Amino acid sequence: MVLDDLGTSLRSSLDKLQGKTRLDEDDVEEIVKEIQRSLLSADVDVSLVMELSDSIETRALEEEPPGGTTARDHVLKIVYEEMVALVGDSTALPLEPQTILLAGLQGSGKTTSAAKMAWWFSTKGLRPAVIQTDTFRPGAYDQAEQMADRAEVDFYGDPDADDPVEIAREGMEATADADVRIVDTAGRHALEDDLIAEIEEIDEAVDPDRSLLVLDAAIGQGAKEQARQFEESIGIDGVVITKLDGTAKGGGALTAVNETGSSIAFLGSGETVQDIERFEPSGFISRLLG
Ligand code: GDP
């Protein structure tokens, strides 16, 4: 069984198919409705939900279950395949020297994620460094330094400097011994022109191998505009979803993935540096449908 953590209503709709070898339109309609309900309450964008349910419906009605497969297993397989196509595989992250730029709004979890990712790379035998360029948020420097310390990784920042681009440039030189540099940037409460201008300059100064957009799992429809703007300004290669230890299911991040043509790189689920894991589709899909 590919999905083992389905919501109870979806599971009971599927269980009604037990013993059947063919699906009729009413069966498919009921299952598709349950899936739509789960995904919408997980904050997945309405048009993505509609596209997905159309594909599931068409396939479930048109494709013959292979011999020996029950209707239930057949439809479950279709649901899983279509969900995988929607959420995608995790963002490719070669275990080699690289620079990663983090973008996102204030409070999305960038500083925390920078230290977590550095910790994650250190467990893979690489030498990471965090470069903190946030001169906007009071306390950002101290927080980043403390977290880098807890992650036992190199750290560069300058609490007395006020030019983030200069800090980024100096940070790249100061961390020359590191393999993986993770560049944390300032956020704002909303997307403002100066934020975009600043991150474009930092992007130019550090020339990252990949740029990741950090999004709070609770983000709903707001994900679209943010993703579009960051994609336009620096290009987004992947998304980090934070705060998955809360009640939000993170479906809003799929809007960002769709908007940027990217994928999900990491999932964050707590405030300590170890609370991070690489994205893996099946657990996330079960969560969205749960
Ligand atoms: P930034 O402004 O984007 O750098 O955001 P921070 O990294 O400072 O995070 C904002 C708040 O969210 C802080 O209080 C973090 O401790 C908290 N936070 C970040 N990631 C997570 C997470 O995965 N789970 C929980 N529960 N809190 C998180």
Side-chain angles (χ1 to χ4, degrees):
M1 176 65 168
V2 279
L3 293 169
D4 44 27
D5 197 17
L6 300 169
T8 38
S9 351
L10 178 56
R11 181 179 297 277
S12 70
S13 301
L14 283 164
D15 285 346
K16 283 191 208 151
L17 304 178
Q18 212 75 313
K20 281 198 179 187
T21 47
R22 289 198 62 87
L23 290 161
D24 60 42
E25 275 182 37
D26 289 344
D27 297 329
V28 174
E29 198 179 315
E30 180 175 335
I31 289 162
V32 164
K33 278 215 177 99
E34 289 299 343
I35 292 171
Q36 287 175 340
R37 198 191 47 77
S38 308
L39 296 180
L40 291 172
S41 71
D43 276 338
V44 179
D45 179 67
V46 181
S47 54
L48 288 181
V49 173
M50 292 308 153
E51 270 173 45
L52 179 90
S53 35
D54 283 352
S55 331
I56 293 175
E57 198 164 346
T58 311
R59 286 188 59 191
L61 291 172
E62 284 179 2
E63 290 177 20
E64 281 292 320
T69 309
T70 64
R72 181 186 187 277
D73 288 350
H74 179 58
V75 76
L76 198 51
K77 180 167 172 284
I78 292 172
V79 170
Y80 184 71
E81 285 172 1
E82 292 297 321
M83 288 292 294
V84 168
L86 177 74
V87 305
D89 278 326
S90 57
T91 312
L93 280 178
L95 296 176
E96 60 187 33
Q98 61 194 290
T99 300
I100 299 176
L101 181 65
L102 296 187
L105 294 191
Q106 184 166 326
S108 59
K110 287 181 304 302
T111 302
T112 310
S113 300
K116 285 178 176 180
M117 285 168 53
W119 175 81
W120 183 86
F121 277 108
S122 76
T123 66
K124 305 289 171 199
L126 289 155
R127 180 172 173 177
V130 171
I131 302 174
Q132 165 61 261
T133 70
D134 187 351
T135 56
F136 184 79
R137 179 164 63 89
Y141 173 89
D142 289 339
Q143 181 198 353
E145 188 187 33
Q146 275 168 19
M147 289 209 78
D149 200 41
R150 275 183 226 136
E152 298 182 25
V153 297
D154 296 349
F155 174 74
Y156 181 85
D158 184 348
D160 301 319
D162 57 9
D163 178 359
V165 183
E166 197 48 41
I167 300 176
R169 229 176 253 125
E170 280 175 17
M172 292 300 283
E173 280 172 29
T175 58
D177 289 342
D179 301 317
V180 180
R181 280 117 148 199
I182 299 171
V183 184
D184 187 15
T185 60
R188 299 286 190 273
H189 293 299
L191 282 165
E192 290 156 13
D193 292 347
D194 64 338
L195 166 69
I196 299 293
E198 182 179 301
I199 202 162
E200 281 175 350
E201 281 184 63
I202 295 175
D203 181 48
E204 218 164 275
V206 305
D207 189 20
D209 297 283
R210 43 194 64 80
S211 299
L212 304 181
L213 175 62
V214 180
L215 293 173
D216 186 321
I219 189 149
Q221 306 307 318
K224 191 167 191 156
E225 182 58 13
Q226 263 190 65
R228 195 185 60 74
Q229 288 235 20
F230 282 117
E231 168 69 7
E232 245 176 55
S233 58
I234 58 169
I236 295 297
D237 304 292
V239 169
V240 178
I241 312 179
T242 65
K243 309 186 196 182
L244 281 164
D245 49 321
T247 52
K249 295 192 167 168
L254 289 184
T255 313
V257 165
N258 190 55
E259 193 69 19
T260 55
S262 71
S263 47
I264 306 172
F266 285 105
L267 305 178
S269 57
E271 295 187 78
T272 70
V273 292
Q274 290 94 349
D275 293 326
I276 182 164
E277 56 190 69
R278 277 285 267 150
F279 173 71
E280 172 275 313
S282 63
F284 189 69
I285 291 170
S286 295
R287 184 185 172 96
L288 290 178
L289 290 175

